[in-house]
Amino acid sequence: MSNQIAPTSDKQVPLTQPPKKGSSMGFFSRLRSNKVALIGGYLIILFILIALIGPYFTVYEYDKVDYSLRLLPPSTDHWFGTDHNGRDIFTRVIHGMPISLYVGFLSVLLGGIIGIPLGIVSGYYGGKIDALIMRIMDILLAFPGILLALALVSVLGSSLNNVIIAVGIFSVPAFARIVRGSTLATKKLEYIDAVRALGATDLRIIFRHILPNIMSPIIVQATLRIATAILAASGLSFLGMGAQPPTPEWGAMLSDGRRVLFDFPHVAFFPGLAIVLVVLVFNIFGDGLRDALDPKMKK
């Protein structure tokens, strides 16, 4: 009888390993099932390609002024028409694509670099550290994002780099709060107690066991935040606080077009349409990512 009883105490080690979250194939399968999100992902790739190579294939120069061509309607020579300085609007929209994506990606990266460590430290250690960090985040959240960014740019000065800093700072609370909540939920799992009992340091637990398991909400938040960042940066440029002429930033182009909005609507319509499309595509793709990465959506 004793030969039939196998010792199991030394084999029960699953608690030292994080629970499996499903294969990458399952994730892509769920993402492919969301046709709208899939289209959004393809369009994001298209926008990135346009931003990388599009400016090299435009016929006109984005900053060349020719008053003999001012305010021409859309035509075969000028697909989107020309603005009040005779500049080709299609060329300026194409050259504005890398600027908007640059601002969106870099500002979100800055917000994540600051917000993610703050959220992890707050959620993991708790206590007074958690209270201090979260009260600072509450102060930042008390201001509407665009107003906070506007105040920061007013202090730092009007420039594209300062817009990135301002938008990045007002993105910090969103990352910090989401990461804190995910960290609180993850650190209570049994495998975290197991690795701690085995002598793992706090840094090892955070970087090897907690951070990899909270990446899903971080990725979703970053994708959705890019759309918010592009919209905020365009709003600041619209108010004259962002990119300065002759930089073909979409918000600044939209601001120029409002002066002749009723007589020549195409001047404002096409930059505005570009902003709407890019923001909409990132939001759609972010929603699709959230559904694909949500454990409740998994079979």
Side-chain angles (χ1 to χ4, degrees):
M1 292 296 293
S2 60
N3 295 333
Q4 297 176 2
I5 302 176
T8 58
S9 58
D10 59 338
K11 294 183 180 180
Q12 293 177 351
V13 294
L15 292 180
T16 64
Q17 301 175 1
K20 296 181 179 181
K21 290 192 169 185
S23 65
S24 59
M25 293 300 294
F27 161 73
F28 287 112
S29 176
R30 288 187 297 274
L31 187 61
R32 283 196 300 267
S33 66
N34 190 331
K35 301 300 182 183
V36 177
L38 198 61
I39 293 173
Y42 289 143
L43 287 177
I44 288 175
I45 296 174
L46 176 62
F47 290 157
I48 293 174
L49 290 176
I50 292 174
L52 292 175
I53 65 176
Y56 297 102
F57 292 93
T58 53
V59 177
Y60 304 97
E61 298 178 14
Y62 74 87
D63 57 350
K64 184 178 181 180
V65 175
D66 187 348
Y67 290 111
S68 64
L69 301 175
R70 64 189 303 269
L71 297 175
L72 293 179
S75 63
T76 55
D77 293 329
H78 302 279
W79 292 355
F80 292 174
T82 59
D83 63 8
H84 61 289
N85 288 320
R87 298 172 297 194
D88 183 68
I89 295 176
F90 175 77
T91 299
R92 290 179 63 78
V93 168
I94 294 298
H95 280 263
M97 180 76 75
I99 295 174
S100 293
L101 294 183
Y102 169 76
V103 172
F105 281 103
L106 203 59
S107 59
V108 169
L109 178 62
L110 177 61
I113 289 175
I114 300 174
I116 293 173
L118 288 176
I120 291 179
V121 170
S122 179
Y124 185 79
Y125 291 103
K128 294 181 179 179
I129 296 177
D130 180 29
L132 176 61
I133 294 176
M134 286 300 104
R135 295 303 75 77
I136 296 174
M137 296 302 106
D138 289 340
I139 292 172
L140 294 177
L141 287 172
F143 299 92
I146 188 65
L147 292 182
L148 178 61
L150 184 60
L152 291 171
V153 172
S154 300
V155 173
L156 298 174
S158 301
S159 72
L160 194 62
N161 289 332
N162 289 340
V163 167
I164 293 173
I165 294 173
V167 176
I169 289 175
F170 94 70
S171 298
V172 169
F175 280 103
R177 292 181 71 88
I178 286 179
V179 171
R180 174 184 177 271
S182 300
T183 302
L184 285 173
T186 305
K187 78 172 186 176
K188 295 178 181 178
L189 299 178
E190 292 180 346
Y191 76 89
I192 297 295
D193 295 332
V195 295
R196 185 181 290 111
L198 290 175
T201 62
D202 288 345
L203 286 178
R204 181 178 178 84
I205 293 173
I206 289 172
F207 287 102
R208 291 291 301 273
H209 301 284
I210 291 182
L211 185 58
N213 287 287
I214 64 172
M215 285 305 297
S216 295
I218 292 175
I219 293 171
V220 173
Q221 176 63 21
T223 305
L224 294 173
R225 205 68 194 176
I226 289 173
T228 304
I230 292 174
L231 193 60
S234 298
L236 292 173
S237 296
F238 180 84
L239 297 173
M241 305 294 289
Q244 300 300 305
T247 305
E249 205 280 330
W250 293 339
M253 295 171 63
L254 193 60
S255 179
D256 291 338
R258 65 177 175 172
R259 305 170 187 173
V260 292
L261 182 61
F262 294 103
D263 296 324
F264 304 96
H266 68 275
V267 179
F269 174 77
F270 290 107
L273 180 63
I275 295 172
V276 170
L277 286 177
V278 172
V279 171
L280 179 63
V281 164
F282 272 100
N283 277 324
I284 289 174
F285 184 65
D287 287 338
L289 275 181
R290 180 171 54 195
D291 292 342
L293 293 170
D294 188 357
K296 296 178 181 178
M297 302 292 292
K298 299 178 182 180
K299 295 182 180 180

